[in-house]
């Protein structure tokens, strides 16, 4: 089956625009949320503080008979002077996760003791306590942002020299498409499921950028090869042929990668779950944007400018 993607390019653009608008709205709502005050819910890596996660010991008779009352947990935190600055959520049926300001050892012990008296004894084997200073958190955020900017600048320079400037700009548009969709989905997860982003999320975005631009370059290369052999053909036909010739490779590469990521998401543990989820969303968006966004934008622009499809390689 041969796809004529340029005939339906308004459909592909409408799908992407709808998702991006929803993502932007979600990030705006998240920014206005007094508990978040950022486009995405920042994790401990970025804002600093202490995260405590306690799990009740259900091997003790009657310890887990009643569900955890989150209002009671908030009252305990309030009594210890942590209520206004803490994010509290129930994890599963018997776990409590608290993110708050930086606590010393005595404060952590007092909080754990007070909570265990109210909700039941905790299993010391399952307790998790992490602490990050605000200076380190700010440095991680700054370093991650700089890494993203440098990556995008490097890709623009590379594609401009290898192809032409308009090719580079549409590839970057596709990259922003992937980043916005991935960030938007995590913004929604942050509002609905209290999902936080950490330094691994920045790593995921950098990986998504590399994956997506690689897919786009493969299609661009095929466009160039087709132009060299058939320079008089309409650009829309050339782009359609290039996409169809590389479609099997793109689908196979994406599916085999997604299989590994789904396995990590399901069995890789709590630390890697959000990282794998970000890659799953980003790689899916990247394949879509390379096929349906970057290529159709190029064909539209060339038609609009009335340019010959001839592309001179700068290699």
């Amino acid at each position: 089956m041969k796809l004529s993607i340029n005939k339906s390019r308004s459909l592909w653009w409408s799908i992407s625009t709808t998702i991006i608008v929803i993502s932007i709205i979600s990030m705006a709502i998240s920014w206005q949320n007094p508990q978040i005050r950022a486009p995405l819910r920042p994790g401990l890596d970025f804002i600093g503080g202490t995260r405590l996660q306690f799990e009740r010991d259900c091997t003790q008779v009657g310890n887990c008979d009643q569900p955890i009352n989150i209002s009671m947990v908030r009252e305990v935190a309030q009594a210890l002077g942590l209520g206004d600055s803490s994010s509290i959520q129930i994890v599963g049926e018997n776990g409590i996760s608290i993110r708050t300001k930086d606590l010393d050892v005595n404060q952590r012990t007092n909080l754990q003791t007070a909570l265990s008296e109210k909700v039941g004894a905790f299993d010391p084997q399952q307790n998790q306590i992490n602490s990050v200073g605000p200076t380190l958190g700010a440095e991680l955020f700054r370093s991650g942002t700089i890494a993203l900017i440098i990556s995008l600048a490097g890709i623009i320079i590379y594609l401009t020299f290898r192809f032409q400037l308009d090719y580079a700009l549409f590839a970057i548009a596709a990259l922003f498409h992937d980043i916005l969709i991935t960030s938007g989905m995590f913004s929604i997860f942050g509002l609905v499921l209290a999902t936080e982003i950490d330094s691994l999320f920045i790593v995921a975005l950098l990986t998504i950028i590399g994956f997506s631009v690689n897919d786009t370059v493969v299609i661009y290369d095929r466009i160039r090869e087709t132009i060299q052999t058939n320079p008089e053909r309409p650009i829309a036909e050339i782009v359609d042929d290039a996409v169809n010739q590389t479609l099997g490779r793109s689908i196979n590469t994406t599916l085999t990668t997604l299989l590994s990521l789904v396995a990590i998401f399901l069995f890789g543990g709590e630390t890697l779950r959000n990282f794998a989820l970000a890659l799953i969303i980003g790689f899916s968006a990247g394949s879509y944007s390379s096929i349906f966004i970057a290529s159709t934008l190029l064909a539209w622009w060339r038609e609009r400018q009335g340019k010959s499809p001839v592309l001179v390689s700068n290699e």
Side-chain angles (χ1 to χ4, degrees):
M1 182 180 68
K2 183 177 179 180
L3 292 177
S4 298
I5 61 169
N6 278 288
K7 288 184 178 180
S8 302
R9 59 193 179 198
S10 59
L11 172 62
W12 317 132
W13 297 348
S14 297
I15 292 172
S16 292
T17 300
T18 301
I19 298 174
I20 288 173
V21 168
I22 293 173
S23 299
I24 293 173
I25 291 173
S26 174
M27 287 189 278
I29 293 173
S30 178
W31 199 307
Q32 297 300 316
N33 190 312
Q35 292 186 341
I36 303 176
R37 297 194 181 280
L40 289 83
R41 186 183 290 268
L44 200 67
D45 286 2
F46 295 135
I47 61 175
T50 300
R51 181 194 287 121
L52 307 98
Q53 185 161 320
F54 304 123
E55 187 83 16
R56 287 195 300 190
D57 186 358
C58 293
T59 61
Q60 298 186 25
V61 178
N63 197 47
C64 300
D65 290 349
Q66 300 295 324
I68 296 175
N69 187 332
I70 192 170
S71 298
M72 187 178 295
V73 177
R74 294 187 189 282
E75 289 176 5
V76 171
Q78 189 75 41
L80 294 174
L82 306 175
D84 295 333
S85 59
S86 301
S87 173
I88 301 171
Q89 64 183 114
I90 304 301
V91 180
E93 295 182 358
N94 296 293
I96 303 171
S97 177
I98 301 175
R99 190 185 69 190
T100 186
K101 62 183 182 180
D102 197 26
L103 303 178
D104 59 32
V105 176
N106 288 334
Q107 290 173 314
R108 299 174 194 170
T109 302
N110 293 337
L111 177 59
Q112 181 176 348
T113 301
L115 286 173
S116 63
E117 292 175 354
K118 295 290 186 179
V119 302
F122 297 120
D123 183 354
Q125 301 289 335
Q126 300 296 325
N127 292 347
Q128 299 179 29
I129 300 176
N130 301 303
S131 185
V132 175
T135 302
L136 177 59
E139 179 62 29
L140 284 171
F141 179 77
R142 183 164 51 252
S143 299
T145 303
I146 292 173
L148 282 173
I149 293 172
I150 292 175
S151 297
L152 291 172
I155 289 170
I156 291 176
I157 295 171
Y158 167 74
L159 291 178
T160 300
F161 277 95
R162 179 163 183 176
F163 299 102
Q164 290 180 358
L165 180 60
D166 54 354
Y167 279 68
L169 293 178
F170 292 130
I172 291 298
L175 293 182
F176 276 110
H177 167 280
D178 305 337
I179 292 173
L180 274 173
I181 288 178
T182 305
S183 300
M185 291 302 297
F186 267 77
S187 176
I188 294 171
F189 295 154
L191 290 171
V192 177
L193 304 174
T195 302
E196 299 176 348
I197 63 165
D198 54 17
S199 54
L200 282 178
F201 184 76
I202 301 296
V203 176
L205 291 183
L206 291 168
T207 308
I208 290 165
I209 288 173
F211 178 89
S212 179
V213 76
N214 176 71
D215 234 13
T216 303
V217 165
V218 169
I219 295 175
Y220 281 179
D221 271 332
R222 191 55 56 92
I223 291 173
R224 178 176 58 191
E225 293 169 4
T226 306
I227 287 173
Q228 289 173 347
T229 56
N230 299 280
E232 302 304 321
R233 292 181 63 194
I235 186 64
E237 291 184 9
I238 292 174
V239 169
D240 282 352
D241 281 352
V243 168
N244 280 282
Q245 290 167 18
T246 58
L247 187 62
R249 174 202 176 278
S250 298
I251 291 175
N252 291 334
T253 301
T254 302
L255 286 179
T256 52
T257 305
L258 289 180
L259 286 174
S260 300
L261 292 174
V262 169
I264 295 174
F265 177 77
L266 295 176
F267 308 111
E270 190 67 30
T271 304
L272 294 177
R273 183 164 289 120
N274 287 341
F275 174 69
L277 179 59
L279 290 180
I280 290 171
I281 296 170
F283 283 11
S284 300
S287 293
Y288 178 87
S289 67
S290 295
I291 296 170
F292 297 105
I293 303 300
S295 57
T296 56
L297 282 173
L298 176 63
W300 168 80
W301 176 256
R302 290 275 167 152
E303 290 172 349
R304 182 181 176 86
Q305 296 299 309
K307 292 183 178 180
S308 167
V310 175
L311 171 65
V312 179
S313 172
N314 292 316
E315 289 186 300

